[in-house]
Amino acid sequence: MTTISNNLQGVRERIVTACTRALRPNHSVGLLAVSKTWGPEAVREAFAAGQTRFGENYIQEAVEKIAALQDLPLEWHCIGPIQSNKTALVAAHFDWVHSIDRLKIAQRLNDQRPVDLPPLQVCLQINVDGGVTKSGVPPAQALALATQVAAMPRLCLRGLMVIPEPAADYAGQLAVFAQAKALFDSVAEAIQPAASHFDTLSMGMTADLEAAVAAGSSMVRVGTAIFGVR
């Protein structure tokens, strides 16, 4: 098998082990392969190994990659910050957005989503631990933004995404992810049934996916452990 195929198998085994330890079904955690800075050939290798969901941070690079791979049935997730002048590209080319952190971006994505495409699946990015260099809406403002986004007809609010500051150990990772899960549960309860598809907690990466799964993540975003270090 190729290196990417081997790596994917290893990540899947980590997820299964983490689910088993957390007494969760294996299928309750999805894998998003983060393919930023890697070319179409790497994505094709991952697809050949059974991976269909890919995350991209850099919008222009992603749009070119999506075009080069349009022959494959892939699901594309925008997981990086979005500037106002890039919303039209995101709305036209991606299936998911994980990084909505203000109303203006959500409104532009809603208004610019092509009518021949299904609603854009979106998550709100939460600055769960107050990191000064991190994007994301403060937890106290999450419900208000969720309520506004849930009312937009061309967006489908699916959940929350977090990228906490690196923690020193597993206990630290688990603590901040538990905060994110508590916020997710409170927002979900408050906005149902207006957002009936609110089911996604996007958290956990190569270094901390075990803690994220233990805390309740439903989607981990893994790049380095699959594609290697660029």
Side-chain angles (χ1 to χ4, degrees), residues 87-94 108-120 154:
T87 53
L89 283 174
V90 174
H93 292 91
F94 284 88
R108 288 178 65 88
L109 291 171
N110 177 77
D111 295 346
Q112 295 169 334
R113 182 67 168 174
V115 295
D116 60 325
L117 295 177
L120 186 62
R154 303 297 296 143

Side-chain angles (χ1 to χ4, degrees), residues 27-178:
H27 60 77
S28 64
V29 180
L31 173 59
L32 183 65
V34 179
S35 47
K36 65 176 180 181
T37 76
W38 293 93
E41 66 283 352
V43 175
R44 287 188 184 277
E45 280 193 53
F47 174 76
Q51 182 66 27
T52 58
R53 291 188 285 193
F54 293 89
E56 292 284 332
N57 289 63
Y58 309 121
I59 294 165
Q60 192 61 51
E61 171 199 322
V63 168
E64 294 170 5
K65 198 179 303 181
I66 291 168
L69 295 164
Q70 59 185 335
D71 57 305
L72 300 181
L74 305 179
E75 184 177 276
W76 292 99
H77 295 234
C78 178
I79 60 176
I82 304 172
Q83 298 175 326
S84 295
N85 64 351
K86 294 293 199 317
T87 53
L89 283 174
V90 174
H93 292 91
F94 284 88
D95 303 295
W96 280 67
V97 173
H98 292 227
S99 47
I100 291 179
D101 61 357
R102 57 195 188 277
L103 182 61
K104 176 183 178 181
I105 296 300
Q107 190 66 64
R108 288 178 65 88
L109 291 171
N110 177 77
D111 295 346
Q112 295 169 334
R113 182 67 168 174
V115 295
D116 60 325
L117 295 177
L120 186 62
Q121 311 297 298
V122 301
C123 294
L124 307 184
Q125 182 171 349
I126 308 298
N127 188 352
V128 67
D129 55 356
V132 295
T133 64
K134 297 292 184 181
S135 300
V137 62
Q141 299 174 22
L143 178 57
L145 183 57
T147 301
Q148 293 169 308
V149 173
M152 296 183 183
R154 303 297 296 143
L155 304 183
C156 179
L157 180 61
R158 295 298 299 269
L160 306 180
M161 184 268 268
V162 298
I163 311 174
E165 296 285 351
D169 53 25
Y170 179 86
Q173 295 170 355
L174 188 62
V176 71
F177 285 142

